[in-house]
Amino acid sequence: MPGGALAATGDVDRIEAPVTVKAYLICAFASFGGIFFGYDSGYINGVTGSKVFIELVEGPGATALKGSNLSLITSILSAGTFFGAIIAGDVSDMIGRKWTVIMGCAIYIIGVVIQIAESKGLACIVAGRLIAGLGVGFESAIVILYMSEICPKKVRGALVAGYQFCITIGILVASCVNYATQNRTDSGSYRIPIGIQFAWGLILGGGLMLLPDSPRYFVKRGRVEKARNALGRLRGQPGDSEYIEAELAEIIANEEYERSVIPAGGWFTGWANCFSGSVFKSNSNLRKTILGTSLQMMQQWTGVNFIFYYSTPFLQSTGAIGNPFLISLIFTLVNVCSTPISFYTVEKFGRRPLLVWGALGMLICQFLVAIIGVTVGFNKTFVNAAGDTRAVNLSAVNAQVAFIAIFIFFFASTWGPGAWIVIGEIFPLPIRSRGVALSTASNWLWNTIIAVITPYMVGETEGNLKSSVFFIWGGLCTCAFVYAFFLVPETKGLSLEQVDQMMAETTPRTSAKWKPHSTFASQMGLKGDKMDLNVEDVERKGSVF
């Protein structure tokens, strides 16, 4: 209905079309972006354990990277990703969600090429990981934003959880590649794991060119007819379908309401809006920004990336594990096999229970690993006649490995996907791109901090904490448990527009009982079966930035 009123509805159950196979496939493909994140988290674990790479960086005869070099190589990608995520929020508002991800793919590919160039030391690997990190930052922030904005509300949690599943697939592929190349004596031992990344950028970037952009992005920019066309493609419905009309009317009405509450402005105002309101008001932008950034901080505090970044050198240093590469691969398999459980549980039980009970399970496992380790496990070793370090109690070490695997199960089925799902749902449209970008940047900031400090915590010549490091992760998982119980709201089964309404009318601890009682379209002026909102007016008011 170009230039006319939109057909709307006051029925909260009829603002979205039935879920189609096409919708599943589009969202599933978008989740492929998790491969970037996962592979980058996993492949460096094997590269830094490669004898050829160690000698390239440290010189002939070296058997391990210095703590400072290991810290730099591992953390520099996360540093680049932090800045990439921040920049991506603005870029996605200017050129669209999908084109921002495609740009990130191009930057990522450039970084990969630099990493596999001939190098006599740290220069190329560090510069390449920094540039690749910028690309991963674009992708990790905006894929979540894109998926949250295009997924049907009934299955949004499960589909966004697919992003975390792809992260685990990426880690698994990296572990398999590391395992396959561990005994190579040429530069292929580190160049093959690095070079395979090239394919991920081509697949995601090329595929996204065929998909529609986010309808909510088009509404924010005042391009209503493009929003209608994109929504029709995503829902598998004709543009004039009653479902498309109703959902588009709801998106526009919500955007009009939020625009009246959150004034539009320039670049500085746009960022300032993310921090407006009181920290004591449950629906303030500041409260949502704190929730999103702290949720991602807590996800990193669980210590899961300690396992995937440093498990190989850590297990090698204990002298208790015969084949640390194989154990790392097993951890990765547990990660992959556990994540699909969340596809069902996140929609059956909700986001909040997963985060609360997941944190409880993780903290129990972490403390058990620490206690066993300092009494009879990893920390108790001896040197045999051949001069090799061996564990005093192999059964205790095996128990520690088992509890680390159970910890990974709890993370992969709860906090792994749960944190990404929630940050994609809690922000209103005017600040959504920047809010998700800030939350993702928080993930990478803490990822960087943990990657920097961990080698000094467990390195034999530095902190040498061994199993005691799990006391730290256990304490932080306890913080995550308390945090989830008191501060995380339930967003299951709500449209993105209804989430905003729920947060205004309830508290996190009572949010699961809240039910939508009206549509935004009815609140903004429903007259019979037409919404009193002219499409041309919306197009003239389109956001400038």
Side-chain angles (χ1 to χ4, degrees):
M1 299 181 184
L6 287 166
T9 180
D11 185 350
V12 295
D13 296 321
R14 291 185 62 82
I15 58 171
E16 193 171 85
V19 183
T20 63
V21 174
K22 182 178 181 180
Y24 277 115
L25 294 177
I26 289 175
C27 296
F29 179 80
S31 68
F32 181 83
I35 293 283
F36 286 66
F37 194 154
Y39 192 87
D40 273 314
S41 299
Y43 89 87
I44 199 63
N45 190 24
V47 169
T48 53
S50 163
K51 186 175 185 300
V52 178
F53 184 77
I54 291 170
E55 292 188 344
L56 175 72
V57 174
E58 303 291 353
T63 58
L65 292 174
K66 294 178 183 175
S68 58
N69 287 336
L70 179 61
S71 172
L72 174 63
I73 292 169
T74 304
S75 65
I76 195 66
L77 180 129
S78 301
T81 307
F82 170 81
F83 291 106
I86 292 290
I87 296 167
D90 283 337
V91 175
S92 70
D93 275 349
M94 289 188 287
I95 67 173
R97 298 358 180 182
K98 84 166 188 176
W99 290 107
T100 301
V101 178
I102 291 170
M103 181 185 293
C105 291
I107 296 171
Y108 178 80
I109 287 171
I110 292 171
V112 172
V113 171
I114 293 173
Q115 287 179 70
I116 59 177
E118 188 63 50
S119 174
K120 299 299 181 184
L122 288 173
C124 282
I125 190 72
V126 170
R129 278 178 64 77
L130 179 64
I131 293 171
L134 289 171
V136 175
F138 274 53
E139 175 275 324
S140 60
I142 307 307
V143 163
I144 289 296
L145 175 62
Y146 179 67
M147 291 182 68
S148 296
E149 290 190 340
I150 69 172
C151 287
K153 67 175 183 177
K154 295 177 182 177
V155 292
R156 186 178 58 238
L159 289 171
V160 176
Y163 179 80
Q164 176 65 24
F165 181 57
C166 284
I167 291 177
T168 68
I169 293 292
I171 296 173
L172 174 61
V173 172
S175 294
C176 292
V177 173
N178 287 339
Y179 189 73
T181 59
Q182 64 175 312
N183 295 321
R184 291 183 69 104
T185 57
D186 58 11
S187 64
S189 65
Y190 66 90
R191 277 191 170 139
I192 290 174
I194 294 172
I196 286 175
Q197 300 172 93
F198 196 86
W200 313 144
L202 291 178
I203 294 171
L204 182 63
L208 278 178
M209 289 184 179
L210 305 176
L211 301 185
D213 212 326
S214 162
R216 288 174 170 87
Y217 160 72
F218 285 129
V219 167
K220 181 174 181 178
R221 300 291 288 182
R223 302 170 186 170
V224 177
E225 287 310 308
K226 286 193 174 183
R228 184 198 303 275
N229 293 335
L231 199 56
R233 290 179 62 189
L234 290 167
R235 300 292 182 256
Q237 297 272 337
D240 58 357
S241 155
E242 64 172 303
Y243 287 110
I244 299 303
E245 287 276 309
E247 186 171 358
L248 185 57
E250 186 71 357
I251 293 170
I252 292 174
N254 175 258
E255 203 273 341
E256 287 285 291
Y257 167 75
E258 289 174 343
R259 193 196 298 275
S260 69
V261 176
I262 307 172
W267 180 85
F268 180 80
T269 303
W271 279 106
N273 284 335
C274 294
F275 304 95
S276 62
S278 169
V279 70
F280 299 106
K281 184 180 178 183
S282 63
N283 197 41
S284 71
N285 289 347
L286 175 61
R287 180 76 168 263
K288 291 173 182 176
T289 299
I290 292 174
L291 175 62
T293 53
S294 58
L295 193 64
Q296 290 293 324
M297 175 184 73
M298 291 290 175
Q299 190 202 58
Q300 290 300 305
W301 277 10
T302 60
V304 70
N305 278 336
F306 166 74
I307 305 298
F308 294 123
Y309 282 167
Y310 297 112
S311 61
T312 300
F314 172 73
L315 294 174
Q316 285 174 332
S317 70
T318 64
I321 302 296
N323 191 338
F325 280 93
L326 180 59
I327 298 298
S328 295
L329 182 58
I330 291 172
F331 289 160
T332 305
L333 285 169
V334 173
N335 194 30
V336 172
C337 295
S338 303
T339 302
I341 295 172
S342 67
F343 296 176
Y344 172 77
T345 55
V346 76
E347 297 297 355
K348 176 66 175 179
F349 303 110
R351 287 63 158 152
R352 179 179 163 83
L354 253 65
L355 295 177
V356 171
W357 293 108
L360 179 62
M362 288 190 294
L363 74 89
I364 291 172
C365 291
Q366 297 280 28
F367 280 126
L368 285 172
V369 172
I371 293 168
I372 294 171
V374 299
T375 52
V376 292
F378 281 153
N379 291 22
K380 305 296 181 179
T381 58
F382 68 96
V383 179
N384 63 17
D388 298 322
T389 303
R390 291 289 181 266
V392 172
N393 190 326
L394 286 177
S395 298
V397 171
N398 290 336
Q400 283 186 275
V401 171
F403 279 117
I404 291 174
I406 297 171
F407 156 75
I408 293 172
F409 162 79
F410 277 112
F411 175 85
S413 58
T414 60
W415 274 81
W420 292 110
I421 293 168
V422 174
I423 69 164
E425 296 176 330
I426 60 174
F427 294 102
L429 184 56
I431 66 165
R432 185 172 296 143
S433 61
R434 290 184 173 101
V436 174
L438 283 169
S439 302
T440 306
S442 172
N443 180 291
W444 287 107
L445 173 64
W446 287 99
N447 190 308
T448 304
I449 291 171
I450 290 171
V452 168
I453 66 175
T454 298
Y456 298 99
M457 293 164 63
V458 299
E460 291 184 16
T461 58
E462 283 90 12
N464 198 28
L465 288 177
K466 294 185 178 179
S467 298
S468 298
V469 74
F470 287 94
F471 280 118
I472 297 174
W473 306 134
L476 293 174
C477 284
T478 303
C479 294
F481 172 74
V482 175
Y483 169 89
F485 182 78
F486 286 105
L487 297 176
V488 176
E490 181 55 71
T491 57
K492 176 176 75 76
L494 304 177
S495 71
L496 297 183
E497 290 70 37
Q498 290 167 347
V499 169
D500 191 60
Q501 212 169 13
M502 175 272 293
M503 294 183 73
E505 298 176 5
T506 187
T507 64
R509 293 178 65 185
T510 60
S511 57
K513 299 177 182 178
W514 186 88
K515 302 295 181 185
H517 45 77
S518 65
T519 66
F520 270 98
S522 62
Q523 293 175 32
M524 294 298 290
L526 186 70
K527 293 185 177 180
D529 65 344
K530 299 288 182 181
M531 188 173 68
D532 188 18
L533 180 64
N534 193 286
V535 170
E536 292 177 351
D537 290 340
V538 178
E539 291 174 342
R540 283 195 296 270
K541 295 175 184 176
S543 173
V544 174
F545 197 60

